Amino acid sequence: MIHTSGYVVAFMNSGCIVGLVFYSVNVKKHEASKDHINNFIGLVRLEKNKGTIIDALNEGSRLSKILYNDNVRKNRLVLLQIIEVVILLGKQELAFRGHDESTLSINQGNQGNFREMFNLLIKQNAELLSHYEKISNVFTGQSKTIQNEIIHCVYEYIIDVIKSEINDIHFFAVISDDTTDIVEKSQCAITLRYVKKTSELKESFLGFHDVSSSKTSESVFNLITSVLDPYNFRTKLIAQCYDGVSVMAVHVSGLQKRIRDEAPNALFTHCCAHRLNLVLQQGSYCVPQSRIFFATLLGISVFFKKSPKRTFVLDTVIGKRIPIANETRWCTRSKILNFVVSNLDKLLEVMECIRDKPESGM
């Protein structure tokens, strides 16, 4: 046996080490250390399956985080259903809200397109339905405010996509025209036309803008430039297309002249569809027989539109209705003419029925 600094080494006759006992001052310090004692207590507790208050708090915190994250996931799925309904109704141009959205409405529970579609989607997932019923007293997501905010967010996203596409190209054109909404407010529709980097021709609609208060060339110019400012139109705009009204087309103070003062490369093009409509309209009015013919043609449409009883006879005999007349669109006259030519025999039968039965012609 040889003693060396706390080590005891034993040798056999063969010269091989058969035992080594390590028992030094460092070992004693380790046994008395805080880490060793805590680890030893943890081992004993694990063996006896016991826990402390700290362990319980840590476990409770872990479970709370799991529950919180799960609620966040479900809330996001509910919001996703709301967003999908908003996008679908907007895409299909359907009304969001109903006249009476209460569950006991006079419409036998018809709560409008948005609520009915959302309820249908949420019922397809039992987990989401259960979660939605728990949070519905705090958040339903079906108010008009939330719908409008989601619509605005979708609009901003689309505008950002258009901006990124315009930033990647060197030129674009603008198309604008005036229209009226259902409450007869005058609105300016603005559209951009350009070729993407992938050589794809694209038209992007930027929205309707209220111009009912003023439709002078200056006010329309201020509106369009404010809309086109984010797209660097002064260097990239190479074409502008409007109808032929003086506010748009006059070369001295019209909109096209004001735009060219800001964007010199923006050549003005009178809308070809408006041109063709004007040519056909003026050409037909120059010939008396033609003027009388088309006036009569438009009168046929008005004749049936003004009377539900006449329309009923038309539906019964032909099964189709005459296209609605429009004084400013030549295409409506061609549709009416095609209808009359294709259904002339049955249309004569309708007229005879109205003649022979005065009660059906009122």
Side-chain angles (χ1 to χ4, degrees), residues 185-196:
K185 280 190 176 181
S186 183
Q187 298 192 22
C188 180
I190 302 176
T191 304
L192 299 185
R193 184 179 175 92
Y194 52 92
V195 179
K196 297 173 61 176

Side-chain angles (χ1 to χ4, degrees), residues 210-245:
D210 187 9
V211 291
S212 55
S213 60
S214 175
K215 293 196 290 184
T216 63
S217 61
E218 182 179 1
S219 61
V220 178
F221 167 76
N222 292 333
L223 168 65
I224 292 182
T225 52
S226 64
V227 173
L228 297 184
D229 263 335
Y231 303 95
N232 193 18
F233 79 97
R234 289 175 176 82
T235 58
K236 290 188 175 183
L237 186 63
I238 63 168
Q240 47 182 326
C241 183
Y242 319 114
D243 58 18
V245 297

Side-chain angles (χ1 to χ4, degrees), residues 4 24 27 81 99 110 121 162 164 206 221 282 342 348:
T4 59
S24 64
V27 173
Q81 301 295 322
H99 177 69
N110 186 348
L121 286 178
I162 296 174
S164 65
L206 299 185
F221 167 76
Q282 296 299 324
S342 302
L348 292 175

